[in-house]
Short mmCIF file of all heavy atoms in Angstrom, two decimals:
data_model
loop_
_atom_site.label_atom_id
_atom_site.label_comp_id
_atom_site.label_asym_id
_atom_site.label_seq_id
_atom_site.Cartn_x
_atom_site.Cartn_y
_atom_site.Cartn_z
N ARG A 350 71.83 7.63 35.60
CA ARG A 350 71.64 6.51 36.52
C ARG A 350 70.34 5.86 36.09
O ARG A 350 69.31 6.53 35.96
CB ARG A 350 71.54 7.06 37.93
CG ARG A 350 71.46 5.98 39.01
CD ARG A 350 71.55 6.61 40.38
NE ARG A 350 70.50 7.61 40.57
CZ ARG A 350 70.42 8.41 41.63
NH1 ARG A 350 71.32 8.36 42.57
NH2 ARG A 350 69.44 9.27 41.75
N THR A 351 70.35 4.55 35.84
CA THR A 351 69.15 3.89 35.35
C THR A 351 68.51 3.07 36.46
O THR A 351 69.20 2.58 37.35
CB THR A 351 69.47 2.96 34.16
OG1 THR A 351 70.49 2.05 34.58
CG2 THR A 351 69.96 3.73 32.97
N PHE A 352 67.20 2.94 36.36
CA PHE A 352 66.42 2.17 37.33
C PHE A 352 65.76 0.99 36.63
O PHE A 352 65.62 1.01 35.40
CB PHE A 352 65.36 3.08 37.97
CG PHE A 352 65.95 4.15 38.83
CD1 PHE A 352 66.25 5.41 38.31
CD2 PHE A 352 66.25 3.93 40.17
CE1 PHE A 352 66.81 6.40 39.09
CE2 PHE A 352 66.81 4.91 40.95
CZ PHE A 352 67.09 6.16 40.42
N PRO A 353 65.36 -0.01 37.39
CA PRO A 353 64.76 -1.19 36.76
C PRO A 353 63.55 -0.80 35.92
O PRO A 353 62.76 0.05 36.32
CB PRO A 353 64.34 -2.06 37.95
CG PRO A 353 65.23 -1.63 39.06
CD PRO A 353 65.49 -0.17 38.85
N PRO A 354 63.41 -1.41 34.75
CA PRO A 354 62.35 -1.00 33.84
C PRO A 354 61.01 -1.65 34.19
O PRO A 354 60.93 -2.62 34.94
CB PRO A 354 62.84 -1.52 32.49
CG PRO A 354 63.62 -2.74 32.85
CD PRO A 354 64.22 -2.48 34.20
N THR A 355 59.98 -1.08 33.61
CA THR A 355 58.65 -1.67 33.67
C THR A 355 58.31 -2.13 32.27
O THR A 355 58.38 -1.34 31.34
CB THR A 355 57.61 -0.62 34.10
OG1 THR A 355 58.04 -0.05 35.33
CG2 THR A 355 56.25 -1.27 34.29
N VAL A 356 57.95 -3.40 32.15
CA VAL A 356 57.67 -3.95 30.82
C VAL A 356 56.19 -4.30 30.72
O VAL A 356 55.61 -4.86 31.65
CB VAL A 356 58.51 -5.21 30.57
CG1 VAL A 356 58.21 -5.78 29.19
CG2 VAL A 356 59.99 -4.88 30.67
N SER A 357 55.59 -3.95 29.60
CA SER A 357 54.19 -4.31 29.38
C SER A 357 54.04 -4.70 27.92
O SER A 357 54.88 -4.33 27.07
CB SER A 357 53.27 -3.13 29.69
OG SER A 357 53.57 -2.04 28.86
N ASP A 358 53.01 -5.49 27.63
CA ASP A 358 52.76 -5.80 26.23
C ASP A 358 51.27 -5.67 25.95
O ASP A 358 50.44 -5.83 26.83
CB ASP A 358 53.28 -7.18 25.83
CG ASP A 358 52.88 -8.26 26.80
OD1 ASP A 358 51.67 -8.40 27.11
OD2 ASP A 358 53.78 -8.97 27.28
N SER A 359 50.99 -5.33 24.71
CA SER A 359 49.59 -5.29 24.30
C SER A 359 49.48 -6.11 23.02
O SER A 359 50.24 -5.90 22.07
CB SER A 359 49.12 -3.85 24.10
OG SER A 359 49.28 -3.42 22.81
N VAL A 360 48.61 -7.08 23.08
CA VAL A 360 48.49 -8.06 22.00
C VAL A 360 47.16 -7.85 21.29
O VAL A 360 46.14 -7.67 21.93
CB VAL A 360 48.55 -9.50 22.58
CG1 VAL A 360 48.34 -10.51 21.48
CG2 VAL A 360 49.89 -9.73 23.26
N THR A 361 47.22 -7.86 19.96
CA THR A 361 46.00 -7.76 19.15
C THR A 361 45.83 -9.08 18.41
O THR A 361 46.77 -9.58 17.79
CB THR A 361 46.12 -6.63 18.13
OG1 THR A 361 46.46 -5.43 18.80
CG2 THR A 361 44.82 -6.43 17.38
N VAL A 362 44.64 -9.64 18.55
CA VAL A 362 44.36 -10.91 17.87
C VAL A 362 43.25 -10.65 16.87
O VAL A 362 42.19 -10.18 17.23
CB VAL A 362 43.91 -11.97 18.91
CG1 VAL A 362 43.44 -13.22 18.21
CG2 VAL A 362 45.05 -12.30 19.84
N ASP A 363 43.54 -10.93 15.58
CA ASP A 363 42.50 -10.75 14.57
C ASP A 363 42.57 -11.93 13.60
O ASP A 363 43.32 -12.89 13.83
CB ASP A 363 42.66 -9.41 13.85
CG ASP A 363 44.05 -9.23 13.25
OD1 ASP A 363 44.65 -10.26 12.85
OD2 ASP A 363 44.53 -8.09 13.17
N ALA A 364 41.78 -11.83 12.56
CA ALA A 364 41.70 -12.95 11.63
C ALA A 364 43.05 -13.26 10.99
O ALA A 364 43.30 -14.39 10.56
CB ALA A 364 40.66 -12.65 10.55
N GLY A 365 43.93 -12.26 10.95
CA GLY A 365 45.25 -12.49 10.37
C GLY A 365 46.25 -13.08 11.33
O GLY A 365 47.39 -13.35 10.96
N GLY A 366 45.85 -13.23 12.60
CA GLY A 366 46.74 -13.82 13.58
C GLY A 366 47.06 -12.87 14.71
O GLY A 366 46.24 -12.06 15.12
N VAL A 367 48.28 -12.98 15.20
CA VAL A 367 48.68 -12.26 16.41
C VAL A 367 49.63 -11.13 16.06
O VAL A 367 50.58 -11.33 15.29
CB VAL A 367 49.38 -13.24 17.39
CG1 VAL A 367 49.86 -12.50 18.63
CG2 VAL A 367 48.42 -14.36 17.78
N SER A 368 49.38 -9.97 16.61
CA SER A 368 50.31 -8.84 16.45
C SER A 368 50.25 -8.03 17.74
O SER A 368 49.49 -8.35 18.65
CB SER A 368 49.93 -7.98 15.24
OG SER A 368 48.63 -7.45 15.43
N GLY A 369 51.04 -6.97 17.81
CA GLY A 369 50.98 -6.14 19.01
C GLY A 369 52.30 -5.46 19.25
O GLY A 369 53.11 -5.28 18.33
N GLU A 370 52.52 -5.06 20.51
CA GLU A 370 53.77 -4.39 20.85
C GLU A 370 54.19 -4.76 22.25
O GLU A 370 53.38 -5.12 23.10
CB GLU A 370 53.61 -2.86 20.74
CG GLU A 370 52.70 -2.24 21.77
CD GLU A 370 52.70 -0.73 21.72
OE1 GLU A 370 52.82 -0.16 20.62
OE2 GLU A 370 52.60 -0.11 22.80
N LYS A 371 55.50 -4.65 22.43
CA LYS A 371 56.10 -4.85 23.75
C LYS A 371 56.82 -3.55 24.11
O LYS A 371 57.57 -3.02 23.30
CB LYS A 371 57.11 -5.98 23.71
CG LYS A 371 57.52 -6.48 25.09
CD LYS A 371 57.58 -7.98 25.08
CE LYS A 371 57.48 -8.54 26.45
NZ LYS A 371 57.01 -9.90 26.48
N ARG A 372 56.55 -3.06 25.32
CA ARG A 372 57.08 -1.75 25.71
C ARG A 372 57.84 -1.86 27.02
O ARG A 372 57.35 -2.47 27.96
CB ARG A 372 55.91 -0.77 25.86
CG ARG A 372 56.24 0.62 26.29
CD ARG A 372 54.97 1.43 26.46
NE ARG A 372 54.31 1.64 25.18
CZ ARG A 372 54.47 2.70 24.39
NH1 ARG A 372 55.29 3.66 24.76
NH2 ARG A 372 53.84 2.80 23.25
N ALA A 373 58.99 -1.23 27.06
CA ALA A 373 59.76 -1.15 28.31
C ALA A 373 59.94 0.33 28.63
O ALA A 373 60.31 1.12 27.76
CB ALA A 373 61.12 -1.82 28.16
N GLN A 374 59.65 0.68 29.88
CA GLN A 374 59.83 2.08 30.31
C GLN A 374 60.90 2.10 31.38
O GLN A 374 60.78 1.43 32.41
CB GLN A 374 58.51 2.63 30.83
CG GLN A 374 57.49 2.82 29.70
CD GLN A 374 56.20 3.42 30.18
OE1 GLN A 374 55.52 2.83 30.99
NE2 GLN A 374 55.86 4.59 29.67
N ILE A 375 61.96 2.87 31.11
CA ILE A 375 63.10 2.92 32.03
C ILE A 375 63.25 4.34 32.55
O ILE A 375 63.27 5.31 31.77
CB ILE A 375 64.41 2.51 31.32
CG1 ILE A 375 64.20 1.19 30.58
CG2 ILE A 375 65.56 2.40 32.31
CD1 ILE A 375 64.21 1.33 29.10
N LEU A 376 63.34 4.46 33.87
CA LEU A 376 63.55 5.77 34.49
C LEU A 376 65.03 6.09 34.42
O LEU A 376 65.87 5.29 34.84
CB LEU A 376 63.07 5.70 35.93
CG LEU A 376 62.74 7.02 36.59
CD1 LEU A 376 61.50 7.63 35.96
CD2 LEU A 376 62.51 6.83 38.07
N LEU A 377 65.37 7.29 33.91
CA LEU A 377 66.77 7.72 33.82
C LEU A 377 66.94 8.98 34.65
O LEU A 377 66.18 9.95 34.48
CB LEU A 377 67.15 8.02 32.36
CG LEU A 377 67.00 6.88 31.36
CD1 LEU A 377 67.37 7.37 29.96
CD2 LEU A 377 67.90 5.71 31.74
#
Side-chain angles (χ1 to χ4, degrees):
Chain A
R350 185 172 57 187
T351 55
F352 293 92
T355 305
V356 180
S357 61
D358 48 53
S359 92
V360 177
T361 306
V362 173
D363 55 31
V367 178
S368 61
E370 68 174 34
K371 194 138 201 156
R372 178 183 293 266
Q374 290 183 298
I375 310 111
L376 201 68
L377 301 178

